[in-house]
Amino acid sequence: MDELGGGNIHAEKSGVAHFVFEDEEHAIIQVRKLLAYLPLNNFDPVPVSMDVSFNAERQEYLNKIVPDDPNRPYDMKEIINILVDNNTFLEIHEKFAQNILVGFARLDGKTIGIVANQPKVMAGTLDINASIKGARFVRFCDSFNIPILLLEDVPGFLPGTAQEYGGIIRHGAKMLFAYCEATVPKITLVTRKAYGGAYDVMNSKHVRGDVNLAWPSAEIAVMGAKGAAEIIFRKELLAAEDKQKLLDEKINEFNTKFCNPYIAAERGFIDDIIE
């Protein structure tokens, strides 16, 4: 019976439940907290809190929070909690599709919606459930005039037959459509990887992102350096005597040219590169 239904199953597997609480008291407290972020209806302005503070001491930590090794994970929730007003991030759908984070927070007392890849889970790739979760949240924010901040570190869509047979293209398009359709202010910050089609759907300039920023650690490209080198220079690698040496050279060349945000900025896809 537990496998068929129940709160935990629907919060973790099906995505039907957004929250699970121990008892009625906790549920009431959290519902009050949730409603404090939302306007009464779609014509009202978003609520503003006068209790405003942010963690000035931890701002410097943002300069070193992204690891030098592009394959090492880090916790995107840390970045969110440093950027927004203190103790205001309320995560929605916490147990479902944990490779993407969605939730409400406050910036200078004003409600915003946050969508963020989570490098700690599945390297932050987009799969079917993450696409559905992200798209639904974006459309909700748009319905109630809540501005959206997107934090991006996405190496691509999750490969595999289960994703292809399940319609990853169809479900991934929901995210694309949600951002194209949204009329609220949409700001994207690329913290590290922004690869391929997943970069496109995550509120890129190509789908009408309003302000697109990048940290110096951002990598904006079609794919990672190794995969790109193996495809682009396939013939040369087959003919080379020392394949590994040539591959390493081409990887370094690709890294130098594309694994930084400056080429994208030159072409107008990034508005500014910030610390």
Side-chain angles (χ1 to χ4, degrees):
M1 290 301 291
D2 285 342
E3 288 180 6
L4 185 63
N8 288 325
I9 291 297
H10 287 305
E12 296 172 19
K13 303 290 185 184
S14 70
V16 171
H18 291 75
F19 299 97
V20 177
F21 303 115
E22 293 177 17
D23 51 41
E24 192 176 71
E25 184 182 352
H26 284 91
I28 290 169
I29 290 168
Q30 283 299 102
V31 168
R32 283 178 174 171
K33 189 175 179 181
L34 173 64
L35 291 176
Y37 288 93
L38 306 177
L40 295 176
N41 56 59
N42 63 317
F43 292 106
D44 270 10
V46 293
V48 178
S49 170
M50 296 296 108
D51 183 20
V52 176
S53 66
F54 80 105
N55 200 327
E57 292 76 27
R58 293 202 75 201
Q59 299 300 305
E60 196 63 34
Y61 181 52
L62 293 174
N63 289 326
K64 53 190 176 188
I65 198 167
V66 178
D68 291 333
D69 181 352
N71 296 315
R72 271 189 62 199
Y74 60 95
D75 191 354
M76 190 65 86
K77 289 183 190 179
E78 280 196 275
I79 292 179
I80 294 170
N81 285 316
I82 295 172
L83 290 178
V84 302
D85 295 350
N86 281 332
N87 304 314
T88 63
F89 179 51
L90 176 63
E91 189 174 355
I92 311 293
H93 255 159
E94 183 179 359
K95 302 293 184 183
F96 177 65
Q98 294 179 326
N99 43 325
I100 197 167
L101 306 170
V102 301
F104 299 108
R106 289 192 175 93
L107 268 182
D108 199 28
K110 300 177 182 68
T111 298
I112 63 166
I114 291 178
V115 180
N117 304 113
Q118 175 55 293
K120 275 183 70 175
V121 181
M122 295 162 54
T125 53
L126 288 178
D127 63 352
I128 289 169
N129 287 342
S131 300
I132 294 169
K133 174 180 169 180
R136 192 164 188 264
F137 185 76
V138 169
R139 297 189 72 176
F140 181 91
C141 289
D142 189 47
S143 296
F144 290 96
N145 300 308
I146 297 170
I148 298 167
L149 170 64
L150 185 140
L151 300 172
E152 182 173 356
D153 185 351
V154 62
F157 282 97
L158 184 67
T161 53
Q163 292 295 308
E164 293 299 334
Y165 299 166
I168 182 66
I169 296 173
R170 177 164 45 90
H171 293 294
K174 291 175 182 175
M175 186 92 100
L176 187 76
F177 181 78
Y179 276 114
C180 288
E181 182 189 47
T183 57
V184 293
K186 298 169 292 183
I187 296 175
T188 296
L189 169 62
V190 182
T191 62
R192 189 165 65 177
K193 294 175 183 175
Y195 287 166
Y199 153 71
D200 280 325
V201 307
M202 295 292 281
N203 193 43
S204 63
K205 269 280 186 252
H206 320 289
V207 296
R208 303 195 327 197
D210 292 305
V211 178
N212 292 66
L213 306 170
W215 280 353
S217 51
E219 304 172 12
I220 302 166
V222 173
M223 64 196 326
K226 186 174 185 293
E230 287 173 344
I231 292 169
I232 296 168
F233 304 105
R234 183 171 175 271
K235 288 182 179 178
E236 291 94 323
L237 288 167
L238 287 172
E241 289 183 13
D242 191 340
K243 291 181 176 59
Q244 191 57 50
K245 183 183 177 184
L246 180 62
L247 180 62
D248 290 342
E249 287 175 4
K250 295 303 181 184
I251 288 172
N252 289 333
E253 184 182 329
F254 190 91
N255 276 326
T256 303
K257 278 189 177 180
F258 299 113
C259 289
N260 62 68
Y262 301 104
I263 300 293
E266 283 176 10
R267 285 159 172 73
F269 305 145
I270 295 295
D271 293 302
D272 203 358
I273 298 162
I274 60 174
E275 283 190 71

